[in-house]
Amino acid sequence: MSSKLSSVDNKIKLKVWDLPTRIFHWGTIGLLGALWWSADAGEMQWHQIFAYSLMVLIIFRLLWGFIGSDTARFSHFVKPPKQVIGYLKQPTKATLGHNPLGGYMVVTMMVILLVQLGSGLFATDEVFTEGPLYRYVSSDLSSALTWLHKMNFNVLLALAAMHILAVIVHGFKGDKLVGAMITGYKYVTKDMVAELRFRSNFVALILVGILMGLVVNYLILPLTVML
């Protein structure tokens, strides 16, 4: 499926983001908020359910980064350091999808999220709640991973703050990132128009369904008896 075009005020309205990528973006934001609330409120069963739901989104996004639509693929936005430096020298230059610096931020955020999810599988609050893999490691290693799980969340908050700041800065420059991530469309100059290919939403639905089925069966259902 190709991108759709329409012309408004000498600019082209171009589809740049597919629906699965947009759902991942907003779903991740919502689940991070839910994870923060549940940990702060001591609702650890819900905290785990939210975490496993986020795991589905993260694994999906990793796979979608290789088989998804053009702008969702890592090959589209993960550029060599030389191009990132070139972008820093000319940051006002508009791009389709993630800009070179933003691409590195996406990868960094996903790595930190994987660390957060992975460490949580072995963590314990030493009272009622243990990660599903807690019993497979020593108490010392579990304590270290529990500490990492707590401290790494501060890194996530810092990255989220940087992301929000970048969105605000781009907004002042006329690059409406939030609107594009909601509608999927972006207004670009004619010289930026490119033929973008979009993977079927049905493929994404099947992939999420498989991942969700596995996570629900092996991780979420055992928790529901405690709610």
Side-chain angles (χ1 to χ4, degrees):
M1 186 182 298
S2 300
S3 55
K4 298 178 181 179
L5 302 175
S6 64
S7 180
V8 177
D9 295 333
N10 296 321
K11 284 192 174 183
I12 303 297
K13 184 181 180 182
L14 180 70
K15 183 177 180 181
V16 294
W17 297 117
D18 60 21
L19 182 61
T21 301
R22 287 179 279 144
I23 291 176
F24 163 79
H25 182 272
W26 297 113
T28 298
I29 292 174
L31 284 172
L32 285 175
L35 284 163
W36 191 358
W37 163 80
S38 56
D40 188 61
E43 297 285 348
M44 298 313 296
Q45 283 77 30
W46 281 110
H47 185 76
Q48 288 179 292
I49 289 174
F50 293 142
Y52 300 147
S53 300
L54 181 59
M55 182 185 296
V56 171
L57 289 184
I58 296 300
I59 296 175
F60 163 77
R61 185 63 184 88
L62 288 171
L63 295 173
W64 202 241
F66 294 100
I67 68 170
S69 306
D70 282 352
T71 51
R73 296 195 180 204
F74 297 120
S75 59
H76 188 271
F77 60 82
V78 179
K79 303 298 183 181
K82 183 178 180 180
Q83 290 191 33
V84 177
I85 294 173
Y87 175 79
L88 288 173
K89 292 179 179 178
Q90 194 178 4
T92 57
K93 185 178 180 181
T95 59
L96 294 178
H98 296 296
N99 62 58
L101 184 60
Y104 276 52
M105 174 61 81
V106 170
V107 173
T108 301
M109 179 67 81
M110 294 189 70
V111 169
I112 296 301
L113 284 170
L114 286 172
V115 170
Q116 189 71 7
L117 290 168
S119 59
L121 295 175
F122 301 91
T124 177
D125 63 2
E126 299 181 347
V127 182
F128 299 111
T129 308
E130 298 172 349
L133 302 182
Y134 166 76
R135 63 182 180 274
Y136 297 110
V137 298
S138 66
S139 59
D140 287 343
L141 180 55
S142 177
S143 295
L145 291 171
T146 300
W147 176 88
L148 176 62
H149 188 71
K150 293 177 179 178
M151 295 300 104
N152 191 62
F153 193 73
N154 295 326
V155 179
L156 273 175
L157 291 177
L159 289 175
M162 292 172 61
H163 179 68
I164 293 171
L165 179 61
V167 168
I168 293 173
V169 170
H170 277 272
F172 279 119
K173 293 179 178 179
D175 194 1
K176 309 300 183 182
L177 300 180
V178 174
M181 192 54 72
I182 292 174
T183 66
Y185 289 85
K186 186 176 184 178
Y187 286 97
V188 301
T189 55
K190 292 182 179 180
D191 62 298
M192 290 179 60
V193 173
E195 189 71 14
L196 298 173
R197 295 169 299 174
F198 291 88
R199 179 72 72 174
S200 169
N201 293 335
F202 185 65
V203 175
L205 183 62
I206 292 175
L207 185 56
V208 170
I210 293 172
L211 294 172
M212 182 62 75
L214 292 171
V215 168
V216 168
N217 185 61
Y218 291 104
L219 295 174
I220 293 181
L221 282 181
L223 290 172
T224 58
V225 298
M226 297 184 287
L227 292 176

